[in-house]
Amino acid sequence: MVHVAEGLSVPGTPVRFRLTVSCPDRVGIVAAVSGFLAGHGGSITEASQHCDPVTGWFFMRYEIDAGTLPFDADGLRHAFAPVAEAYGMHWQVTDASRPRRVVPLVSRQDHCLTDLLYRWRSQEMFLEIPCVISNHETMRDYVEWHGIPYYHVPVDPRHKTAAFERISSLVEEARADVVVLARYMQILPPEMCQRFAGRVINIHHSFLPSFVGARPYHKAFERGVKLIGATCHYVTDELDEGPIIEQDVVRVRHDHTVDELVRLGRDVERTVLSRGLRYHLEDRVLIHGNKTVVFS
Amino acid sequence: MVHVAEGLSVPGTPVRFRLTVSCPDRVGIVAAVSGFLAGHGGSITEASQHCDPVTGWFFMRYEIDAGTLPFDADGLRHAFAPVAEAYGMHWQVTDASRPRRVVPLVSRQDHCLTDLLYRWRSQEMFLEIPCVISNHETMRDYVEWHGIPYYHVPVDPRHKTAAFERISSLVEEARADVVVLARYMQILPPEMCQRFAGRVINIHHSFLPSFVGARPYHKAFERGVKLIGATCHYVTDELDEGPIIEQDVVRVRHDHTVDELVRLGRDVERTVLSRGLRYHLEDRVLIHGNKTVVFS
Amino acid sequence: MVHVAEGLSVPGTPVRFRLTVSCPDRVGIVAAVSGFLAGHGGSITEASQHCDPVTGWFFMRYEIDAGTLPFDADGLRHAFAPVAEAYGMHWQVTDASRPRRVVPLVSRQDHCLTDLLYRWRSQEMFLEIPCVISNHETMRDYVEWHGIPYYHVPVDPRHKTAAFERISSLVEEARADVVVLARYMQILPPEMCQRFAGRVINIHHSFLPSFVGARPYHKAFERGVKLIGATCHYVTDELDEGPIIEQDVVRVRHDHTVDELVRLGRDVERTVLSRGLRYHLEDRVLIHGNKTVVFS
Amino acid sequence: MVHVAEGLSVPGTPVRFRLTVSCPDRVGIVAAVSGFLAGHGGSITEASQHCDPVTGWFFMRYEIDAGTLPFDADGLRHAFAPVAEAYGMHWQVTDASRPRRVVPLVSRQDHCLTDLLYRWRSQEMFLEIPCVISNHETMRDYVEWHGIPYYHVPVDPRHKTAAFERISSLVEEARADVVVLARYMQILPPEMCQRFAGRVINIHHSFLPSFVGARPYHKAFERGVKLIGATCHYVTDELDEGPIIEQDVVRVRHDHTVDELVRLGRDVERTVLSRGLRYHLEDRVLIHGNKTVVFS
């Protein structure tokens, strides 16, 4: 059994604040933000910027050594608000030392969840898993061995609403920052997609927009493609159409059966999901329209 | 100016025959073919086989040291015919020392043609280019510097039939084994697709089946994919739906403009086309239904 | 807890024999082997061949539908022996329905072992794990949860011989077909390398021959390479110099710390190890001198 | 024949200044630089920063819309100098509308030069090629067709000094910003390496540090590696030990001969060289010690 104390930062991790900003581009944004920070002695340890020439929109992510600032996170938010106001920013400040709370939803396939649990257990990824929710009992023993509560919520096709209300409640009770559909073979209802907009991450087992919907490996086999892939994206109420965070592919040959595509795909799926989730957890993903800026 | 003597084999290249076979699978095919060759002293220098469990179809490609056989290519065809008959084979014997005649069709974009000419000029790829056909004059000087005739056949939208009849005639006169659409921005009419079925190779500038049709890089940019690709396939009368020979992708980021996708895509296109064409020229591609077996 | 019945084939898996051959090349080998099989009604389901023009050596791997032959594996060995004799073959026949017995050796790093256990547990890889041996207690709980015995054999620098004798005994008692050094941070003594020659597989955390020996990620960081990699190879008594089975790389940037190289490297290591081990378990690797033929 | 007017900017290209900075890290650098620019109304169109925690060194690259500043490049240099002084910066301002002057050195192998000429001719890469220098006559016709002077400077092993003095003079006369060793099979003398330090780019045909020196494909074949690669790096007086700019690899198999490794390698070489050179020409590479920061 594994125990990571809930709600506490990992000792020894240097405390950082992360500031993300998006706003219409104009002269002086960088100077305003960096000037504000320098004025308080703040040391920027990582900086990324992007200006989209098509939409004229500006995006920025700073990581700041919290020890160099005279604020806690709330103090920083309070002090920064006027700057943000002046430039019409969408912005957030997060405390990198607070692990995000991630609730995985799974069905019977366990490769993505196993991978996620491994990365959590080994502290490779910095997160908390308050619970796992599944429409099957398959993964209960393995999850519970990790000391993580496991909720079995069957999804009866005739009573889907009730099932997803139950799931939404569990997610709320768990105070989840993120829901991960770790090969969860159910389609979330639109109201749930909207309620948790920008907070539900799916791994789709194809290189989108190829092979939307069910059985993508079968479709890939039928079409005779020479690469198969996986796509990590935010869930919206249009199936497999949400903003893409990460994708990757693997080469296949004429002598691979559908089963072998499935096997090869599993490795891509778990890799792509873990990369996409890491970007999200580290506040590296800024959604804009149906696209993402990923400061990887 | 460059000159490669037409119709002659490259001196020093060891002479090989290539035998490709496809037929319903049953016990004894390999023994029958390899026994036939061994009975004549034939040394197999390269062998590939595949049995498709879904269709029950068998595929095979042998490269044979021609010097170990008491036949020329026609003699081998004659001697092998009864074996092929007995197993209901689709088959062909080719003489690897005879370069295939490849006719590129191009529009204004020159990266694929430039690459192909380089691989021909440097003898990296073993082929002849009897002529180049284009609906623009753009590439004339460069092509003619290589000593290759250049035919300008404008494609007037009101008189497409006449244009493609002219092109078909030029292809026939050139005794082309293969037509390569090297970013030729015109859609071939169905009758031309059928007339040269299995002999027209296209490079499509997307990872099919994503982004069929025109302006795939723009569509990829709009969708926000994280990889873009290219697909080399045989042309059929369904646009971008023919059997796929080869595909590849390259990673892109949020800060790549459409122009940069186009630039990055060019490198993938020329690489994928050259690999796909090489496989075809070396008789490594066996078409079956709408899929390919590629003994790469 | 997980249980896979030991020594039994997985029901529903079609029974196959695998025949691998290496010998000096000459005319008629393929005909002799395929003729022998056809003569007994044997259906070849997968065939790979290679002739090395440098050494003049021939390599072959057949997968045969066992149900089409009138033999069990021993019967096939007996019947085939005269053919093998006639051509001076190194050869073996294996029964693909018998899982190989794999003994992992690990230290404190658990990513490769976790991955291997997952692939075993999910029946993605067909093998048995009679026990795990480690010089640390770190992984005991996790391994034992799987119902697999765990042996802690500390390696005291002053008494290495005793430790490795104990390990060799455990390996023998486990009737291991393969020993996997799954990031085992000890160097095996030469006598152990020789005793289990061709049966010990290591994962080295660099793209060999770059960065032989200890701390390759630190060396990679120092040198400023733009890709890091991993190498799966057979262990010989020359450190990191054995025949390579599989390699892969991942892109790194100037802003990756050594710790991040280690993290990125873990994913490559486990992928490369699992691919290399799969090839070995499926008899796809033929060792020749210090190189391998891999019929992947 | 192709003509690109020398010394003129490409019409329609928006004029940009590029500012690169490296200095010891401390609080306020970003604010100082961005504040300076904002104070003059300068619009930053691209920004990259990196702080190396090991050396405590800070790196920065800004692209600035020149039209938003009241300066030409020299004016910007003059105005920025006090800021740079205050922080002890190594820095430069370049005018992105002025093409860099690139002199390729080649021997007989033409794939890298052909690729470079294509990218120049098609305006994919923004540079001038005042001349090509070679120790062979092989490429004269092709280069001269492009309207580029070709200098044949044989390198007699007994009179190397004279040859390299001649080459250095030609490079100086051509007012070259960069020398590209495009598979130039001669080792530059130390004095030439020092004289043009940070301005000579080589493409080495292996994945360094594997296979330093001559005949890397033969060495790779001997070792039986499963990937081969290429490395673009700055030339220093230690052979193949200079700062690496870019690397890539391609998968190879047991059935690839040395000649096929050479063929596959050519595609990697030209791709890696063109990427590395592009980064250099766009001032994306900052050398620090024997490593590079590449803001790609």
Side-chain angles (χ1 to χ4, degrees):
Chain A
M1 224 283 288
V2 171
H3 193 69
V4 177
E6 191 171 309
L8 295 177
S9 60
V10 169
T13 307
V15 182
R16 303 236 191 277
F17 297 139
R18 296 190 195 117
L19 170 65
T20 54
V21 163
S22 63
C23 61
D25 192 26
R26 57 187 247 220
V27 167
I29 302 173
V30 176
V33 178
S34 61
F36 163 83
L37 290 170
H40 293 285
S43 177
I44 301 165
T45 58
E46 220 180 300
S48 310
Q49 292 162 229
H50 171 57
C51 177
D52 182 346
V54 177
T55 61
W57 214 257
F58 175 82
F59 305 89
M60 164 185 256
R61 178 187 182 276
Y62 275 2
E63 243 177 69
I64 306 145
D65 181 343
T68 62
L69 283 177
F71 309 120
D72 64 4
D74 274 334
L76 175 55
R77 286 179 196 116
H78 185 76
F80 185 68
V83 181
E85 182 82 10
Y87 287 85
M89 293 177 178
H90 301 256
W91 64 288
Q92 69 172 17
V93 167
T94 59
D95 178 348
S97 66
R98 189 186 75 80
R100 301 292 170 87
R101 298 173 68 82
V102 176
V103 172
L105 269 60
V106 285
S107 292
R108 278 200 196 88
Q109 295 215 46
D110 58 349
H111 55 287
C112 286
L113 181 60
T114 296
D115 187 71
L116 186 56
L117 288 173
Y118 169 72
R119 295 186 200 265
W120 165 77
R121 197 170 75 226
S122 63
Q123 303 189 25
E124 177 181 307
M125 278 175 86
F126 184 53
L127 51 86
E128 282 169 12
I129 303 180
C131 65
V132 171
I133 303 172
S134 178
N135 56 338
H136 293 281
E137 285 286 1
T138 322
M139 294 288 287
R140 179 179 293 280
D141 281 5
Y142 191 72
V143 169
E144 290 183 349
W145 180 83
H146 289 82
I148 297 173
Y150 186 91
Y151 298 106
H152 178 209
V153 184
V155 180
D156 183 326
R158 294 158 306 175
H159 305 292
K160 286 205 172 191
T161 309
F164 283 106
E165 274 170 12
R166 169 82 175 124
I167 291 168
S168 292
S169 298
L170 286 169
V171 167
E172 296 282 15
E173 281 159 28
R175 288 171 294 121
D177 296 295
V178 194
V179 173
V180 172
L181 308 187
R183 295 300 310 279
Y184 182 63
M185 306 302 282
Q186 301 289 328
I187 296 170
L188 262 49
E191 50 279 14
M192 195 172 163
C193 295
Q194 284 149 21
R195 185 168 167 188
F196 299 99
R199 293 163 56 200
V200 184
I201 289 175
N202 184 43
I203 179 73
H204 182 74
H205 41 317
S206 84
F207 181 78
L208 290 174
S210 292
F211 312 128
V212 165
R215 298 168 69 80
Y217 292 122
H218 289 77
K219 291 172 185 164
F221 181 84
E222 286 304 315
R223 182 62 187 92
V225 292
K226 302 301 184 187
L227 300 166
I228 57 169
T231 303
C232 178
H233 65 96
Y234 290 106
V235 171
T236 62
D237 48 18
E238 280 191 84
L239 183 65
D240 299 334
E241 294 289 345
I244 293 171
I245 308 171
E246 174 66 345
Q247 302 187 287
D248 215 338
V249 293
V250 66
R251 191 160 283 276
V252 295
R253 293 184 315 242
H254 60 261
D255 56 355
H256 285 119
T257 61
V258 172
D259 282 353
E260 284 168 311
L261 300 194
V262 169
R263 169 174 67 79
L264 290 164
R266 278 197 297 260
D267 278 13
V268 186
E269 291 166 34
R270 64 182 193 173
T271 306
V272 168
L273 175 58
S274 72
R275 285 206 298 251
L277 180 59
R278 170 183 298 274
Y279 297 151
H280 178 89
L281 295 177
E282 295 180 354
D283 301 308
R284 298 184 180 281
V285 191
L286 282 73
I287 302 177
H288 193 236
N290 203 45
K291 296 174 68 171
T292 60
V293 170
V294 181
F295 291 125
S296 63
Chain B
M1 224 282 286
V2 170
H3 193 68
V4 177
E6 191 169 310
L8 296 177
S9 59
V10 169
T13 306
V15 183
R16 302 235 191 280
F17 297 138
R18 296 189 196 119
L19 170 64
T20 55
V21 163
S22 64
C23 60
D25 192 25
R26 57 186 246 220
V27 168
I29 302 173
V30 176
V33 177
S34 61
F36 163 82
L37 290 169
H40 292 285
S43 178
I44 303 165
T45 58
E46 221 182 299
S48 310
Q49 292 162 230
H50 171 56
C51 176
D52 182 344
V54 177
T55 61
W57 213 257
F58 175 83
F59 304 88
M60 164 185 256
R61 177 186 182 276
Y62 275 2
E63 242 175 71
I64 306 146
D65 182 343
T68 62
L69 282 177
F71 308 120
D72 64 5
D74 274 335
L76 175 55
R77 285 179 197 114
H78 186 75
F80 185 68
V83 180
E85 181 82 9
Y87 287 85
M89 294 175 177
H90 300 256
W91 64 288
Q92 68 172 18
V93 166
T94 59
D95 178 348
S97 66
R98 190 186 76 79
R100 300 293 170 87
R101 297 173 69 81
V102 175
V103 171
L105 268 62
V106 286
S107 292
R108 276 200 199 88
Q109 295 214 47
D110 58 348
H111 54 288
C112 286
L113 181 60
T114 296
D115 187 71
L116 186 56
L117 288 173
Y118 169 71
R119 294 186 201 266
W120 165 76
R121 197 170 74 227
S122 63
Q123 302 189 25
E124 177 181 306
M125 277 174 87
F126 184 53
L127 50 86
E128 282 169 11
I129 303 180
C131 65
V132 170
I133 303 171
S134 179
N135 55 337
H136 293 281
E137 284 286 1
T138 322
M139 294 288 287
R140 179 180 294 280
D141 281 5
Y142 191 72
V143 169
E144 289 183 349
W145 180 83
H146 289 82
I148 296 173
Y150 186 89
Y151 297 106
H152 177 211
V153 184
V155 180
D156 182 326
R158 294 160 305 174
H159 305 291
K160 287 206 172 189
T161 308
F164 284 105
E165 274 170 13
R166 169 84 174 120
I167 292 167
S168 292
S169 297
L170 286 169
V171 168
E172 296 282 14
E173 281 159 29
R175 288 172 293 120
D177 296 295
V178 193
V179 173
V180 171
L181 308 187
R183 296 300 311 277
Y184 182 64
M185 306 302 280
Q186 300 288 329
I187 296 170
L188 261 49
E191 51 279 12
M192 194 173 164
C193 296
Q194 283 148 23
R195 184 169 167 186
F196 299 99
R199 294 163 54 200
V200 184
I201 289 176
N202 185 42
I203 180 71
H204 183 74
H205 41 317
S206 86
F207 181 72
L208 290 175
S210 291
F211 311 128
V212 165
R215 295 168 69 81
Y217 293 122
H218 289 78
K219 292 172 185 164
F221 181 82
E222 285 304 315
R223 181 63 187 93
V225 291
K226 301 302 183 186
L227 301 166
I228 56 169
T231 304
C232 178
H233 65 96
Y234 290 106
V235 172
T236 61
D237 49 17
E238 281 192 83
L239 184 65
D240 299 334
E241 294 289 345
I244 294 170
I245 308 172
E246 176 63 346
Q247 302 187 288
D248 215 338
V249 293
V250 65
R251 191 160 283 277
V252 296
R253 294 183 316 243
H254 60 262
D255 56 356
H256 285 118
T257 61
V258 172
D259 283 353
E260 284 168 311
L261 299 195
V262 169
R263 170 174 67 79
L264 290 164
R266 278 197 295 260
D267 278 13
V268 186
E269 291 164 36
R270 64 182 192 172
T271 306
V272 168
L273 175 58
S274 73
R275 285 205 298 251
L277 179 59
R278 170 182 296 276
Y279 297 151
H280 178 88
L281 295 177
E282 296 181 354
D283 301 308
R284 297 183 180 282
V285 191
L286 283 72
I287 302 177
H288 194 235
N290 203 45
K291 297 173 68 172
T292 60
V293 170
V294 181
F295 291 126
S296 63
Chain C
M1 222 283 286
V2 170
H3 192 68
V4 177
E6 190 170 311
L8 295 177
S9 59
V10 169
T13 308
V15 182
R16 302 234 191 280
F17 296 138
R18 296 189 196 120
L19 171 65
T20 54
V21 163
S22 64
C23 60
D25 193 24
R26 57 186 245 222
V27 169
I29 302 173
V30 176
V33 177
S34 61
F36 164 82
L37 290 169
H40 292 286
S43 177
I44 302 165
T45 58
E46 221 181 300
S48 310
Q49 291 161 231
H50 171 56
C51 176
D52 182 345
V54 177
T55 61
W57 213 257
F58 174 83
F59 304 89
M60 164 185 256
R61 179 187 181 276
Y62 275 2
E63 244 178 68
I64 306 146
D65 181 343
T68 61
L69 282 177
F71 309 119
D72 64 5
D74 274 334
L76 175 55
R77 286 179 196 115
H78 186 75
F80 185 69
V83 180
E85 181 81 11
Y87 288 85
M89 293 176 178
H90 300 257
W91 64 287
Q92 69 172 15
V93 167
T94 60
D95 178 348
S97 66
R98 190 186 76 80
R100 301 292 171 89
R101 298 173 69 82
V102 176
V103 172
L105 268 61
V106 286
S107 292
R108 278 201 197 87
Q109 296 215 46
D110 58 348
H111 54 288
C112 286
L113 182 60
T114 296
D115 187 71
L116 186 56
L117 288 173
Y118 169 71
R119 294 186 201 265
W120 165 76
R121 197 169 74 226
S122 64
Q123 302 188 26
E124 177 181 308
M125 278 176 85
F126 184 53
L127 51 84
E128 282 169 12
I129 304 180
C131 65
V132 170
I133 303 171
S134 179
N135 56 337
H136 294 281
E137 283 286 1
T138 321
M139 294 289 288
R140 178 180 295 279
D141 282 5
Y142 191 72
V143 168
E144 290 183 349
W145 180 83
H146 289 82
I148 296 173
Y150 186 90
Y151 297 106
H152 177 212
V153 184
V155 180
D156 183 327
R158 294 159 305 174
H159 304 291
K160 286 207 172 188
T161 307
F164 283 105
E165 274 170 12
R166 168 83 175 121
I167 291 167
S168 293
S169 297
L170 286 169
V171 168
E172 296 282 15
E173 280 160 28
R175 289 170 293 121
D177 295 295
V178 193
V179 173
V180 171
L181 308 186
R183 297 299 312 276
Y184 183 64
M185 306 303 281
Q186 300 288 329
I187 296 170
L188 262 49
E191 51 279 14
M192 194 172 164
C193 296
Q194 284 148 22
R195 184 169 168 186
F196 298 99
R199 293 164 54 200
V200 184
I201 289 176
N202 185 42
I203 180 72
H204 183 74
H205 42 317
S206 85
F207 181 77
L208 291 175
S210 291
F211 312 128
V212 165
R215 297 168 67 80
Y217 292 123
H218 290 77
K219 291 172 186 163
F221 180 84
E222 286 304 316
R223 182 62 187 91
V225 291
K226 301 300 183 188
L227 301 166
I228 57 168
T231 303
C232 178
H233 65 95
Y234 290 105
V235 171
T236 61
D237 48 18
E238 281 191 84
L239 183 64
D240 299 333
E241 294 288 346
I244 293 171
I245 308 172
E246 175 64 348
Q247 302 187 289
D248 216 338
V249 293
V250 65
R251 191 160 284 276
V252 296
R253 293 185 315 243
H254 59 263
D255 56 356
H256 285 119
T257 61
V258 172
D259 282 351
E260 284 168 310
L261 300 194
V262 169
R263 169 174 67 79
L264 290 164
R266 278 198 295 261
D267 278 12
V268 185
E269 291 165 34
R270 63 181 193 172
T271 305
V272 168
L273 175 57
S274 73
R275 285 206 298 252
L277 180 59
R278 171 183 296 275
Y279 297 150
H280 178 89
L281 294 177
E282 295 180 354
D283 301 307
R284 297 183 180 281
V285 190
L286 282 73
I287 303 176
H288 193 236
N290 203 44
K291 296 174 69 172
T292 61
V293 170
V294 181
F295 291 125
S296 63
Chain D
M1 224 284 288
V2 170
H3 193 68
V4 177
E6 192 169 310
L8 296 177
S9 59
V10 170
T13 307
V15 182
R16 303 236 190 278
F17 297 138
R18 297 190 196 118
L19 170 65
T20 54
V21 163
S22 63
C23 61
D25 192 26
R26 59 186 245 220
V27 168
I29 302 173
V30 176
V33 178
S34 61
F36 163 83
L37 290 170
H40 293 286
S43 177
I44 302 165
T45 58
E46 221 182 300
S48 310
Q49 292 162 228
H50 171 57
C51 177
D52 181 346
V54 177
T55 61
W57 214 258
F58 175 83
F59 305 88
M60 164 185 255
R61 177 187 183 276
Y62 275 2
E63 244 178 67
I64 306 145
D65 181 343
T68 62
L69 282 177
F71 309 119
D72 65 4
D74 275 334
L76 175 55
R77 284 179 197 114
H78 186 75
F80 186 68
V83 181
E85 182 83 10
Y87 288 85
M89 293 176 179
H90 301 256
W91 64 287
Q92 69 172 17
V93 166
T94 59
D95 177 348
S97 66
R98 191 186 75 78
R100 300 293 170 86
R101 298 173 67 83
V102 175
V103 172
L105 269 61
V106 285
S107 291
R108 278 200 196 90
Q109 295 215 46
D110 58 349
H111 55 287
C112 286
L113 180 61
T114 296
D115 187 71
L116 186 56
L117 288 173
Y118 168 72
R119 295 186 200 265
W120 165 76
R121 197 170 75 226
S122 63
Q123 303 189 26
E124 178 182 307
M125 278 175 87
F126 184 53
L127 51 85
E128 281 169 11
I129 303 180
C131 65
V132 170
I133 304 171
S134 179
N135 55 337
H136 294 280
E137 284 286 1
T138 322
M139 295 288 289
R140 179 180 293 280
D141 281 4
Y142 191 73
V143 169
E144 290 183 348
W145 180 82
H146 289 82
I148 296 173
Y150 186 89
Y151 298 106
H152 178 211
V153 184
V155 180
D156 182 326
R158 295 158 305 174
H159 305 291
K160 287 205 170 189
T161 308
F164 284 105
E165 274 170 12
R166 168 84 175 121
I167 291 168
S168 293
S169 297
L170 287 169
V171 167
E172 296 281 15
E173 282 160 28
R175 289 170 294 120
D177 296 295
V178 194
V179 173
V180 171
L181 308 187
R183 296 300 310 278
Y184 183 64
M185 306 304 281
Q186 300 288 329
I187 296 170
L188 261 50
E191 52 279 13
M192 193 172 164
C193 296
Q194 284 149 22
R195 184 170 168 187
F196 299 100
R199 294 164 53 200
V200 183
I201 289 176
N202 184 41
I203 179 71
H204 182 74
H205 42 316
S206 85
F207 181 75
L208 290 175
S210 291
F211 312 128
V212 165
R215 296 169 68 81
Y217 291 123
H218 289 78
K219 291 172 185 164
F221 180 83
E222 286 303 315
R223 182 61 187 92
V225 292
K226 301 301 183 187
L227 301 165
I228 57 169
T231 303
C232 177
H233 65 96
Y234 291 106
V235 171
T236 61
D237 50 16
E238 280 190 84
L239 182 65
D240 299 333
E241 294 289 345
I244 293 171
I245 307 172
E246 175 65 345
Q247 302 186 288
D248 215 338
V249 293
V250 65
R251 191 159 284 276
V252 295
R253 294 184 315 243
H254 60 262
D255 56 356
H256 285 118
T257 60
V258 172
D259 282 352
E260 285 169 311
L261 300 194
V262 169
R263 169 174 68 79
L264 291 164
R266 278 197 296 260
D267 278 13
V268 186
E269 291 165 34
R270 64 182 193 171
T271 305
V272 168
L273 174 58
S274 72
R275 285 205 299 251
L277 179 60
R278 170 182 297 274
Y279 297 150
H280 179 89
L281 294 177
E282 295 181 353
D283 301 307
R284 298 183 179 281
V285 191
L286 284 72
I287 302 177
H288 193 236
N290 203 45
K291 296 174 69 172
T292 61
V293 170
V294 181
F295 291 127
S296 62

